[in-house]
Amino acid sequence: MSETKFQPKSIVETILVILLLLGLLFATFEVLRAFFGVLTFALIFSVSFATPFKKLTNILGNRKKLAATIYAVLLIALVTFPFVLIVSAISNHIKDALTFISNVKVNGLPPLPTWIANLPLVGNQINSFWNNLPVNPTETIAPHELQVKAALNHVVSAGTGIIGATIQFILGIIISAFFLVSGEKILLPIKAALKHLFGARNGIELLEATGQAVKGVSIGVMGTAFFAAIISWIGFKIAGIPFALPLAGLVFFVTIIQIGPLLVWVPVIIWYSTLGHTGYTIFLIIYAMGVLMIDAVVKPILIAKSGGRLPFLVLFLGVLGGLAAWGFTGMFKGAIVMAIAYTVFTKWLENRKRESELERAPIFEG
């Protein structure tokens, strides 16, 4: 009987192949990382609008490409509609802004609203700053130069981030149209890979767990943004704020990209307070806190209801942990990681229990 000889060359070649594959996987990850935001939006839209898209396809006689075109055009129009209206409104008020600046140069700043000057703790400081600004602007601003620069940098970076998110938003809608047209075909390579790695049954269960996680997070994000937009629109209408519908559209947008509705509400409250509407200003502050609570309460409920057989705590921890670790796209990464880990762990427990039962089963001899 001949002994199998140790072949170091084959081991070295195997190690090199493994390193090459790891390097290829890392390079692929780095290439695709720039598109994670776009793919995240594509997942949100394709999962959330799968049922309406199917109904639209049936109405159009199963013409999926036409349905996808209509779907993409309508969604992009809804996204850009608030921005177009707000830019149009700003351009219409540029003349008023120039007139205000001219009046300030001639007559100085208008008096500060009384309710701001009477604010506890900070009212006197704001009033003093406002009154000294036209007299000694350089000396008044100098102590606050760092804060002003930080605020301006924050505004610029936030604006740049919103523009980038808007582009990702639109690209995500377009890619989601391709996902919806492809349907199950896009999952065939993934199914084949999972079946090959984990077996037919376990592979399908892992894919189902991943799908449930994606569905739960998608519907949670989309539903929360929708509710926040509707509630905000009602509040804007009650307070008589102009452009209530575009502002509600902006609330939907900033909520879905996880910036939060306060980015819209705070400027609206500040602007309304300068008009002297103290009662409505207090109402808007309380109402804004209610809108903020929607993001904290409705999202977990929707995720739990849409997560299928996955426990709510598993998805919730995945969403929060992923959001803290990787930002916006981390909601999906964390939920998918937790869903797969939970599925693998439960399957391992089931297999161990089955093996234990077989070991304890009595053996009957014939």
Side-chain angles (χ1 to χ4, degrees):
M1 183 175 179
S2 61
E3 296 182 359
T4 302
K5 291 186 178 181
F6 183 68
Q7 298 179 351
K9 184 179 178 182
S10 61
I11 294 179
V12 171
E13 288 176 351
T14 303
I15 293 174
L16 288 176
V17 170
I18 292 173
L19 290 175
L20 180 62
L21 287 174
L22 290 175
L24 182 62
L25 288 174
F26 178 76
T28 304
F29 175 81
E30 289 296 315
V31 170
L32 294 177
R33 188 168 62 174
F35 301 97
F36 281 167
V38 175
L39 293 175
T40 299
F41 285 125
L43 280 174
I44 291 174
F45 284 111
S46 59
V47 171
S48 302
F49 289 98
T51 302
F53 178 81
K54 187 176 181 180
K55 292 180 180 178
L56 179 61
T57 304
N58 293 333
I59 293 172
L60 297 174
N62 205 30
R63 287 181 286 183
K64 289 186 176 182
K65 292 183 179 179
L66 178 60
T69 302
I70 295 173
Y71 154 85
V73 169
L74 286 177
L75 274 186
I76 291 173
L78 287 174
V79 170
T80 56
F81 175 71
F83 291 97
V84 171
L85 284 184
I86 288 174
V87 170
S88 176
I90 290 174
S91 63
N92 292 334
H93 289 83
I94 288 178
K95 185 178 179 180
D96 296 335
L98 294 174
T99 303
F100 174 78
I101 293 172
S102 300
N103 290 334
V104 169
K105 289 180 179 178
V106 176
N107 303 318
L109 289 171
L112 194 68
T114 306
W115 71 272
I116 296 180
N118 293 333
L119 286 173
L121 301 177
V122 296
N124 291 332
Q125 296 179 2
I126 296 174
N127 190 41
S128 175
F129 177 84
W130 189 264
N131 292 329
N132 292 330
L133 187 60
V135 180
N136 297 309
T138 304
E139 296 179 1
T140 305
I141 295 176
H144 307 281
E145 185 176 356
L146 293 177
Q147 290 88 338
V148 171
K149 286 183 178 179
L152 291 175
N153 289 333
H154 182 71
V155 170
V156 171
S157 60
T160 305
I162 290 176
I163 292 172
T166 305
I167 295 173
Q168 290 185 345
F169 209 74
I170 294 173
L171 290 176
I173 292 173
I174 296 171
I175 294 175
S176 70
F178 287 99
F179 285 172
L180 290 170
V181 170
S182 301
E184 291 291 327
K185 293 180 181 178
I186 200 170
L187 296 176
L188 291 178
I190 301 174
K191 284 183 178 179
L194 288 175
K195 286 180 179 179
H196 180 72
L197 291 173
F198 301 100
R201 182 179 176 183
N202 292 337
I204 294 299
E205 289 187 358
L206 283 176
L207 185 62
E208 288 177 354
T210 303
Q212 289 171 1
V214 171
K215 182 180 178 182
V217 178
S218 298
I219 294 178
V221 171
M222 183 68 71
T224 303
F226 179 77
F227 278 116
I230 293 295
I231 299 299
S232 296
W233 177 76
I234 294 172
F236 293 147
K237 293 295 288 186
I238 291 174
I241 294 174
F243 304 105
L245 187 59
L247 288 173
L250 282 180
V251 169
F252 175 83
F253 175 72
V254 297
T255 303
I256 206 171
I257 64 175
Q258 304 303 299
I259 293 178
L262 289 185
L263 185 67
V264 178
W265 274 91
V266 169
V268 169
I269 292 171
I270 294 174
W271 169 71
Y272 223 53
S273 68
T274 60
L275 301 179
H277 302 302
T278 308
Y280 273 128
T281 300
I282 296 173
F283 163 76
L284 289 174
I285 292 173
I286 297 173
Y287 202 91
M289 294 300 103
V291 174
L292 193 62
M293 288 298 295
I294 290 176
D295 189 58
V297 175
V298 174
K299 186 187 296 181
I301 293 175
L302 289 175
I303 290 174
K305 294 291 184 182
S306 308
R309 292 175 296 174
L310 292 173
F312 164 68
L313 186 60
V314 172
L315 282 180
F316 187 67
L317 291 177
V319 169
L320 290 184
L323 191 62
W326 298 301
F328 171 59
T329 60
M331 290 189 301
F332 288 88
K333 297 176 189 174
I336 290 172
V337 167
M338 289 296 291
I340 292 176
Y342 172 79
T343 304
V344 170
F345 182 68
T346 53
K347 291 301 296 179
W348 176 76
L349 287 179
E350 288 176 6
N351 292 334
R352 293 293 298 170
K353 182 180 179 182
R354 192 178 299 112
E355 291 174 2
S356 178
E357 289 175 352
L358 289 174
E359 290 175 358
R360 291 197 303 266
I363 301 175
F364 297 97
E365 295 182 359

